[in-house]
Amino acid sequence: MNSIKRKALLIQAAFGGVVLTLLMQPMVALGFGNYNWMLFIVLLLFFALGASLKKIPSMILCYGCGILWAVLNGILMGVMKDLPTWIPNIALTIIIIFCILTIHESLLRDTIFGNVPSLFLGLAETFFVFSIHPSNATAITPVHLFGFFLYGLVMSSVLVLGGGILCNRILGKDWPKYVFGEHEEEII
């Protein structure tokens, strides 16, 4: 690993350690400290999708779609509660997933509504909220989840932009080519 790349990664690691720790504190102050892990799921998704700020609008819309699909699933499960359990638990799940993949992965693939990883994160976290009754944490709703997701994207953006600005000041404007090669503009 070249010297500039190592320095850039160390600068970003130090910045990340400080800024992420500080940005988690509002969640603690608001009584949602037990849910800080959800912010890191957003960071994971953001970086897995290429750490591109241009993808944030699609991530937001599709996460919201995932919440809506989970709410629809919950409503339909309630409507079907008197049917044999395999219908709401298995048949409905098959139908919902088929619809999601048909609509978002096939029909809307190349649109702002085609970000299936973000959609499935919204779906999964909403199912999680529906299925738990925390004794040691504040109860949350899908609205909270959406707020946590947005805040996680703020953290991701601060991490990328702030780390980049810090590296620019310390290492100069050419540091990205040593870290990312010829594709540094895709990151930001």
Side-chain angles (χ1 to χ4, degrees), residues 70-121:
V71 169
L72 174 64
N73 185 77
I75 291 168
L76 292 175
M77 285 184 83
V79 169
M80 298 177 176
K81 69 180 184 261
D82 295 328
L83 297 174
T85 57
W86 69 269
I87 293 175
N89 292 333
I90 296 174
L92 180 60
T93 302
I94 291 169
I95 292 167
I96 292 288
I97 292 173
F98 173 80
C99 289
I100 288 169
L101 292 174
T102 298
I103 292 169
H104 296 276
E105 178 71 12
S106 287
L107 301 175
L108 300 175
R109 176 183 203 101
D110 296 323
T111 73
I112 198 164
F113 293 101
N115 190 321
V116 175
S118 293
L119 188 146
F120 274 124
L121 179 61

Side-chain angles (χ1 to χ4, degrees), residues 67 140-148:
I67 290 173
I140 59 173
T141 68
V143 174
H144 290 98
L145 288 177
F146 196 69
F148 297 166

